């Protein structure tokens, strides 16, 4: 056994072996895998082995497609058999809502290049005669779905890595991890010490324990999952071809062929989290006690959907644990706050995602960043708010909703409320309907009297439509108030603050008392953030960005933070307040302060420390609504006082509260992009229009400057544009294909209904040579082609007179 390696991967399941293989594929061979028992000795060995490409996130779907295509490569490289069965997959729809769901999925697949189809009950019956299609309206068919041999596939990954130089140490449990001052790790194992420059936690069922060794909590939890294998069935073994997979969301079940019988798995509502206090170290090649009573209701439904099961004998019952994160996606990447400690766990769909997960992590380690945006599985999407109990509650909910319809406007209830601001009870009294992000409650909209305090989940315009429109109207015609707690906020101080910010931000830094907008770039020139920078005092700046990207941005900042002369602090929760926006916003603010807030004293994109009511506030002249507006920040404990000051003075100006739904509608009228929609690490500044905020000439060089300059020489082939859509009762959400002359030419990033302008709006990417004001396109919404007209002049205040007045 080596005593020093570049990378030690801990965990010998399919995910750990994939990471090992991909590191060698990218050129790192001084690496090893450490496994406490044998390969596959966690969740891998008892997995059902199914794989599919479908995922709500396009990049995740692409990585799943990569995973499936990789298996042939592994077989060719190693000579081992992965046991591949490409049989296709059918997802049934038994209601109009489920048909909308699969139509939305099918539309997304068009721009991704996936060959999926909506099929009729008659076509379902031809592909899978064992399905009772009574009550079925249609289905989504994916020809790439299939299943494989979990053990054979895992060993193929392992052998491929060994061929390329990696070593594997079995029956060698890790007992301790200690970090050296230089950031490398001492790994204590049963068979001795290994010093590693990097550690990868691919511990699966033991990932929590490996995290605890280094003082971090990884938000994942194991769940028990059962599937049954039947005896041989004549409906199966008399066929000439293998049956396709069938997913029946209404029955919470999946079904596939296994030899001459069938595998039937259930994601039941009466589900059980496993190992609440940790996974014991001696757990391995064993199963849990069968709990058929737990799935009896679902089985009864399944027997009706697949009548041949009703008289089938059961050959094997498998009840084993596997891990989930709160949203069901993996936890991948450098763990915030730790140097050279990488997470690659909670990959519950290991044979659909394992290859793509391993590739992405290996790219991150070798090249410094993945080749595509993988925030959907970045471990940094969760922060300290994610407690163990919250994790268990969300994991259980996610398991229960494994086959449920996922609506674009749905707010899931488990684990809520967790974090709230002092204003939470104020909004409750005004009939707020809440959503949440990054563990924090925020107002989505305010329900009128007599309306339910719940937005109906839908792919179409919901019961909140009229209320949101009224809130938009109030902002545009008078003045509205909204919290600004759901921005990430960072305080940067010290003599070295300006020099450091000049190195990490791609735009100009503001003069004292001023604000600038700046992208933050990766070395490859991709967007890492979209920031408001406020110069609030000498050697003191406030940065404002997406609330949900706090751990992502803090990890990035700390990666480049110098040792001296810069103080960095996340003040997202300690510095909160409100924004006021609308034509009467200045008049309202003037009533609440003795300071001059005229346009001469406080012009657009300025910042001042002034008194507002009884509070010493930081006031920024900026608004995401695109109207005249101000963001007012105070210490969290003074938020209620600030509210009462603004609310009492606001009576004279008909001040109305508005929520995030209205905010997102108003920003469409200005074609303002949003982080992780229009702006994310898949895109560059020039593609998105953020290049207008870049400083191509400032010295010294900033991160990503060379790539940004290269984009000037060779401009991108696509750009972000806006459309007015001839929608009826459903607006775009994201990832709908954009068509031109019968061909998919682009995709939607986000959109919705712009209430004040009374237009359905979509933002998205199309080829640069097609960008002409008034050009005609089509956008596919829920299976229907809707006319879309490209526009280059924003719908509200195109000269920005309101913002600047």
């Amino acid at each position: 056994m080596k005593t020093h390696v570049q990378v030690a991967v801990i965990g010998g399941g399919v995910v750990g072996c994939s990471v090992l293989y991909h590191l060698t594929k990218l050129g790192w061979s001084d690496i090893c895998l450490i496994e406490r028992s044998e390969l596959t000795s966690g969740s891998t060995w008892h997995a059902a082995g199914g794989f599919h490409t479908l995922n709500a996130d396009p990049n995740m779907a692409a990585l799943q497609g990569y995973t499936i295509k990789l298996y042939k490569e592994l077989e060719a490289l190693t000579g081992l058999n992965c046991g591949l069965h490409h049989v296709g997959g059918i997802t049934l729809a038994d209601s109009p809502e489920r048909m909308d769901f699969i139509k939305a999925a099918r539309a997304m697949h068009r721009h991704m290049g996936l060959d999926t189809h909506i099929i009729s009950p008659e076509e379902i019956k031809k592909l899978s005669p064992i399905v009772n299609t009574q009550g079925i309206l249609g289905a989504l068919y994916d020809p790439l779905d299939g299943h494989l041999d979990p053990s054979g596939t895992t060993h193929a990954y392992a052998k491929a890595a060994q061929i390329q130089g990696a070593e594997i140490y079995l029956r060698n449990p890790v007992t301790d991890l200690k970090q050296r001052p230089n950031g490398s790790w001492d790994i204590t194992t049963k068979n001795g010490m290994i010093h590693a420059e990097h550690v990868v936690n691919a511990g699966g069922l033991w990932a929590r324990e490996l995290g605890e060794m280094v003082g971090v909590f990884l938000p994942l939890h194991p769940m028990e999952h059962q599937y049954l294998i039947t005896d041989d069935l004549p409906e199966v073994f008399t066929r000439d071809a293998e049956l396709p997979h069938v997913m029946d969301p209404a029955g919470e079940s999946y079904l596939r062929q296994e030899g001459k019988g069938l595998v039937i798995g259930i994601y039941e509502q009466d589900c059980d989290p496993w190992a609440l206090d940790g996974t014991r170290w001696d757990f391995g090649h064993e199963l849990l006690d069968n709990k058929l009573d737990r799935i009896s209701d679902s089985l009864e439904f399944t027997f009706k959907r697949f009548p041949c099961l009703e008289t089938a004998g059961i050959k094997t019952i498998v009840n084993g644990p596997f891990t989930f994160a709160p949203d069901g996606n993996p936890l991948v990447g450098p763990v915030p706050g730790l140097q050279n400690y990488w997470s690659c766990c909670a990959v519950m769909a290991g044979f659909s995602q394992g290859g793509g997960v391993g590739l992405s992590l290996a790219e991150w380690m070798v090249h410094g960043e993945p080749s595509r945006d993988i925030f959907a599985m970045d471990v940094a999407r969760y922060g300290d708010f994610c407690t163990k109990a919250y994790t268990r509650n969300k994991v259980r909910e996610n398991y229960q909703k494994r086959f449920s319809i996922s609506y674009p406007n749905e707010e899931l209830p488990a684990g809520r409320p967790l974090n709230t601001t002092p204003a939470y009870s104020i909004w409750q009294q005004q009939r707020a309907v809440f959503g949440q992000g990054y563990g924090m409650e925020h107002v989505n909209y305010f329900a009128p009297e007599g309306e339910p305090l719940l937005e109906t989940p839908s792919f179409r315009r919901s019961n909140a439509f009229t209320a949101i429109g009224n809130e938009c109207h109030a902002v545009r015609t008078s003045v509205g108030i909204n919290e600004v707690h759901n921005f990430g906020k960072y305080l940067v101080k010290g003599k070295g603050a300006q020099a450091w910010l000049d190195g990490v931000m791609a735009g100009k830094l503001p003069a004292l008392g001023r604000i600038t907008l700046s992208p933050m770039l990766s070395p490859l020139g991709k967007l890492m953030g979209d920031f408001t920078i406020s110069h609030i005092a000498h050697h003191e700046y406030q940065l404002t960005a997406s609330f949900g990207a706090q751990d992502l941005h803090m990890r990035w900042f700390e990666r480049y933070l110098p040792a001296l002369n810069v103080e960095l602090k996340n003040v997202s929760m300690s510095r909160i307040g409100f924004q006021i926006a609308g034509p009467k916003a200045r008049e309202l603010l003037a009533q609440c302060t003795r300071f001059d807030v005229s346009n001469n004293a406080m012009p657009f994109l300025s910042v001042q420390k002034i008194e507002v009511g009884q509070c010493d506030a930081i006031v920024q002249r900026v608004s995401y609504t695109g109207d005249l507006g101000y963001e007012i920040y105070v210490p969290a404990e003074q938020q209620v006082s600030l509210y009462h000051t603004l609310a009492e003075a606001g009576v004279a100006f008909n001040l109305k509260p508005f929520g995030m739904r209205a905010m997102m509608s108003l920003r469409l009228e200005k074609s303002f992009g949003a982080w992780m929609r229009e702006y994310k690490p898949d895109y560059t500044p020039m593609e998105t229009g953020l290049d207008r905020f870049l400083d191509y000439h400032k010295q010294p060089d900033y991160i990503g400057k060379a790539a940004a300059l290269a984009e000037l020489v060779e401009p991108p082939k696509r750009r972000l544009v806006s459309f007015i859509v001839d929608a009826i009762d459903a607006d775009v959400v994201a990832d709908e294909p954009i068509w031109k002359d019968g061909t998919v030419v682009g995709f939607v990033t986000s959109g919705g209904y712009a209430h004040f302008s009374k237009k359905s709006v979509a933002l998205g990417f199309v080829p640069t040579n097609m960008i002409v004001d008034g050009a005609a396109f089509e956008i596919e919404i829920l299976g229907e082609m809707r006319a879309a007209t490209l526009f280059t002049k924003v719908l509200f205040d195109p000269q920005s007179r309101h913002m600047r007045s």
Side-chain angles (χ1 to χ4, degrees):
M1 185 174 76
K2 288 185 175 182
T3 58
H4 179 276
V5 293
Q6 188 175 9
V7 182
V9 179
I10 304 175
V14 65
V15 173
C17 291
S18 173
V19 172
L20 195 73
Y21 164 67
H22 282 94
L23 285 170
T24 64
K25 187 176 183 180
L26 295 183
W28 285 12
S29 58
D30 182 21
I31 61 177
C32 72
L33 183 146
I34 307 169
E35 164 55 39
R36 50 172 288 285
S37 181
E38 306 291 338
L39 296 183
T40 79
S41 292
S43 297
T44 298
W45 76 271
H46 61 72
F51 57 79
H52 56 88
T53 58
L54 303 186
N55 192 289
D57 182 276
N59 282 345
M60 291 292 290
L63 290 172
Q64 289 175 199
Y66 166 82
T67 300
I68 294 167
K69 294 174 184 176
L70 177 64
Y71 294 135
K72 290 291 187 183
E73 178 182 322
L74 290 175
E75 289 183 330
L77 179 62
T78 64
L80 298 180
N81 188 349
C82 293
L84 294 176
H85 296 256
H86 281 285
V87 296
I90 298 169
T91 301
L92 302 176
D94 66 341
S95 68
E97 292 76 21
R98 290 191 190 276
M99 282 300 294
D100 282 348
F101 177 64
I102 65 173
K103 286 175 182 177
R106 171 66 183 102
M108 180 181 76
H109 301 155
R110 288 186 192 271
H111 88 73
M112 293 169 55
L114 293 177
D115 184 30
T116 59
H117 309 273
I118 302 294
I119 59 176
S120 67
E122 293 74 23
E123 291 171 302
I124 296 169
K125 200 72 177 176
K126 288 180 181 178
L127 288 167
S128 185
I130 66 172
V131 178
N132 174 8
T133 56
Q134 183 178 357
I136 296 297
L137 302 181
L140 183 68
Y141 176 66
D142 182 359
L144 288 180
D145 277 16
H147 58 274
L148 46 66
D149 170 25
S151 178
T153 301
T154 304
H155 281 86
Y157 275 120
K159 184 175 180 181
Q162 289 174 311
I163 289 171
Q164 297 173 155
E167 296 190 6
I168 296 176
Y169 308 132
L170 302 179
R171 299 171 292 282
N172 188 31
V174 172
T175 58
D176 197 19
L177 288 166
K178 288 286 189 293
Q179 191 164 39
R180 294 185 181 184
N182 67 355
S184 62
W185 293 89
D186 288 325
I187 307 168
T188 304
T189 77
K190 176 185 175 183
N191 297 331
M193 181 85 73
I194 300 174
H195 176 223
E197 296 171 33
H198 299 266
V199 167
V200 177
N201 179 347
L205 293 173
W206 295 269
R208 292 176 298 173
E209 286 69 28
L210 289 172
E212 288 169 359
M213 285 183 184
V214 298
V216 299
F217 169 65
L218 294 171
L220 60 92
H221 198 89
M223 294 290 297
E224 295 187 22
H225 178 62
Q226 289 187 123
Y227 65 87
L228 317 176
I229 304 174
T230 73
D231 290 330
D232 294 352
L233 292 169
E235 293 88 346
V236 175
F237 64 70
T238 57
R239 283 176 52 84
D240 294 331
E242 190 170 354
L243 287 165
H245 289 198
V246 181
M247 281 155 281
D248 183 18
E252 302 168 341
S253 67
Y254 60 89
L255 176 142
R256 71 166 176 83
Q257 186 169 332
E258 174 73 9
K260 297 180 180 180
L262 295 170
V263 167
I264 178 73
I266 305 290
Y267 281 88
E268 69 279 12
Q269 296 301 299
D270 184 21
C271 53
D272 292 328
W274 181 75
L276 271 64
D277 297 314
T279 305
R280 71 177 200 268
W281 286 106
D282 63 348
F283 184 81
H285 275 87
E286 56 193 285
L287 293 173
L288 309 178
D289 292 338
N290 299 330
K291 297 182 179 178
L292 290 180
D293 58 323
R294 196 174 63 194
I295 61 174
S296 58
D297 290 344
S298 294
L299 279 177
E300 185 176 346
F301 188 98
T302 302
F303 293 159
K304 295 176 182 177
R305 181 69 68 216
F306 310 102
C308 65
L309 289 173
E310 197 162 6
T311 57
I314 297 175
K315 181 164 58 178
T316 307
I317 302 172
V318 176
N319 185 25
F322 67 131
T323 56
F324 279 81
D327 61 2
N329 280 343
L331 299 172
V332 178
V335 174
L338 285 178
Q339 188 177 353
N340 299 336
Y341 185 91
W342 304 77
S343 173
C344 200
C345 52
V347 188
M348 71 86 161
F351 294 100
S352 293
Q353 299 175 341
V357 164
L359 172 67
S360 297
L361 187 69
E363 289 176 333
W364 212 332
M365 297 178 74
V366 175
H367 301 314
E369 57 186 291
S371 59
R372 65 177 72 238
D373 169 44
I374 58 166
F375 186 73
M377 62 182 185
D378 192 334
V379 66
R381 71 187 185 277
Y382 293 108
D384 292 340
F385 74 88
C386 207
T387 65
K388 291 182 179 180
Y390 173 89
T391 298
R392 286 196 305 272
N393 288 335
K394 296 303 287 186
V395 163
R396 187 172 189 272
E397 177 186 61
N398 187 273
Y399 183 97
Q400 291 170 324
K401 294 184 71 64
R402 178 81 172 109
F403 285 144
S404 297
I405 301 171
S406 180
Y407 293 100
N409 66 333
E410 188 172 23
E411 297 285 354
L412 301 178
R416 298 177 55 204
L418 180 63
N419 290 340
T420 62
T421 65
Y424 181 74
S425 60
I426 293 173
W427 301 136
Q428 282 183 308
Q429 294 169 15
Q430 298 182 58
R431 297 185 54 78
V433 178
F434 291 95
Q436 73 84 34
Y438 202 68
M440 171 61 68
E441 297 291 312
H442 59 250
V443 177
N444 276 342
Y445 71 99
F446 293 86
E449 290 291 339
E451 293 288 325
L453 293 173
L454 177 70
E455 183 178 9
T456 304
S458 177
F459 286 93
R460 301 174 189 272
R461 293 172 186 167
S462 76
N463 60 308
F465 186 80
T466 300
I468 295 167
N470 291 338
E471 292 172 24
C472 292
H473 186 265
V475 172
R476 290 286 189 242
T477 58
S478 181
V479 59
I481 184 170
N482 172 274
E483 275 198 83
V484 287
H485 65 299
N486 53 349
F487 291 144
K489 296 170 288 289
Y490 311 92
L491 181 64
V492 182
K493 300 174 64 175
K495 292 182 178 179
Q498 179 178 335
W500 177 66
L501 286 172
D502 257 331
V504 295
M505 294 293 169
K508 291 182 183 296
L509 295 188
L512 184 64
R514 301 294 294 174
I515 296 169
T516 57
L517 307 179
S518 174
M520 185 168 71
L521 306 182
S522 76
L524 296 179
K526 300 296 183 69
L527 294 173
M528 288 299 298
D530 169 34
F531 283 84
T532 300
I533 306 174
S534 305
H535 195 165
I536 56 180
H538 288 292
H539 307 308
E540 183 177 343
Y541 297 82
Q542 176 175 286
L543 312 180
T544 307
S546 168
F547 187 78
Q550 288 176 60
D551 264 25
L552 171 75
H553 287 149
M554 284 297 291
R555 182 178 67 193
W556 189 261
F557 291 153
E558 290 168 355
R559 175 177 173 179
Y560 294 103
L561 192 68
L564 299 173
N565 298 325
V566 179
E567 176 187 341
L568 169 68
K569 187 177 182 181
N570 185 343
V571 295
S572 299
M573 291 309 303
S574 59
R575 187 174 286 183
I576 58 178
F578 303 94
Q579 69 161 317
I580 53 174
K584 296 184 179 179
R586 179 184 289 114
E587 296 173 69
L588 170 57
L589 182 59
Q591 294 298 311
C592 301
T593 182
R594 63 187 182 84
F595 288 79
D596 183 2
V597 293
S598 68
N599 195 46
N600 289 331
M602 186 175 282
F604 181 58
L605 293 181
S606 63
V607 58
Q608 289 192 30
K609 290 184 175 181
I610 64 174
E611 294 174 4
V612 180
Q614 302 181 89
C615 306
D616 291 328
I618 297 171
V619 180
Q620 301 189 160
R621 171 78 189 279
V622 66
S623 175
Y624 193 48
T625 66
D627 219 313
L628 170 65
Y630 303 85
E631 294 173 356
I632 308 169
Y633 297 95
V634 297
E637 57 271 21
Q638 295 179 11
Q639 187 193 29
V640 171
S641 174
L642 175 63
Y643 174 80
H644 287 302
T645 295
L646 295 169
E648 289 166 12
V651 171
F653 304 101
N654 198 29
L655 177 68
K656 299 293 184 183
F658 67 101
M660 290 304 299
R661 296 277 193 262
M663 172 83 87
M664 298 308 283
S665 173
L666 294 166
R667 63 105 182 177
L668 292 174
E669 296 177 329
K670 296 290 289 183
S671 294
F672 286 166
W675 181 246
M676 293 313 295
R677 297 181 184 186
E678 285 68 44
Y679 311 139
K680 60 181 183 178
D682 272 335
Y683 311 140
T684 67
M686 194 172 288
E687 286 180 322
T688 57
L690 291 182
D691 57 311
R692 66 190 186 277
F693 299 119
L694 295 189
D695 185 347
Y696 290 101
H697 306 292
K698 73 174 181 178
Q699 296 293 333
D701 289 346
Y702 51 82
I703 299 165
K705 182 179 179 181
L709 289 170
E711 205 172 27
L712 289 175
V713 177
E714 189 173 348
K717 294 180 173 59
R718 64 181 183 183
R719 289 184 190 267
L720 185 68
V721 293
S722 304
F723 299 91
I724 294 172
V725 185
D726 181 21
I728 301 175
D729 66 339
D731 305 293
V732 302
V733 177
D735 297 311
E736 293 88 351
I738 300 171
W739 296 74
K740 180 77 170 177
D741 299 329
T743 301
V744 175
V745 297
F747 61 95
V748 170
T749 53
S750 73
Y753 193 76
H755 283 270
F756 189 71
S757 300
K758 294 181 170 54
K759 304 288 186 184
S760 184
V761 175
L763 306 182
F765 285 101
V766 298
T768 307
N769 61 2
M770 293 184 180
I771 300 175
V772 178
D773 191 46
F777 293 79
E778 290 181 301
I779 296 178
E780 183 178 352
I781 303 177
L782 302 181
E784 295 184 1
M785 305 298 285
R786 308 305 306 172
T789 304
L790 189 151
F791 68 90
T792 57
K793 185 178 179 180
V794 299
L795 299 178
F796 174 76
D797 190 22
Q799 277 74 47
S800 295
R801 293 193 179 100
H802 288 254
M803 282 199 306
R804 299 175 184 277
S805 64

